[in-house]
Amino acid sequence: MELADRAIGLILASISVTIFTYYTFWVIILPFVDKEHFVHNYFLPQEYAILLPVYAGVSLICFLSVFIGYVMLKSKKKKKV
């Protein structure tokens, strides 16, 4: 089991570093590259650099709120019984 945990941790860390590098290049470096350069073909428009993290954050907050509410309701029912 320990080997599987390490493999999953390595995969998650690799994905995180890849997303961080892609986003950092997209937001910080890409605005200084000419619009005609071929590297712009690999990135979404700049508007999405703000919209995607905002939507992800709102979705995460909504999911956490529903989860916490569900756990609170479930624990309240256990106290009644």
Side-chain angles (χ1 to χ4, degrees):
M1 189 67 165
E2 185 177 317
L3 183 60
D5 290 342
R6 285 185 181 190
I8 291 171
L10 178 64
I11 290 169
L12 290 175
S14 299
I15 290 171
S16 297
V17 167
T18 303
I19 290 172
F20 176 78
T21 304
Y22 179 87
Y23 188 79
T24 301
F25 189 83
W26 183 24
V27 172
I28 296 176
I29 298 173
L30 200 61
F32 298 108
V33 177
D34 290 334
K35 297 285 184 192
E36 295 83 26
H37 200 274
F38 75 92
V39 78
H40 280 276
N41 296 333
Y42 299 109
F43 295 91
L44 293 172
Q46 285 294 110
E47 297 85 31
Y48 291 105
I50 300 298
L51 292 176
L52 290 175
V54 167
Y55 286 139
V58 169
S59 299
L60 179 67
I61 290 171
C62 289
F63 174 75
L64 288 175
S65 299
V66 169
F67 177 74
I68 290 171
Y70 174 75
V71 170
M72 289 173 64
L73 287 174
K74 197 171 181 179
S75 68
K76 189 176 182 180
K77 286 181 183 178
K78 284 184 180 179
K79 287 182 181 178
K80 285 184 179 179
V81 174

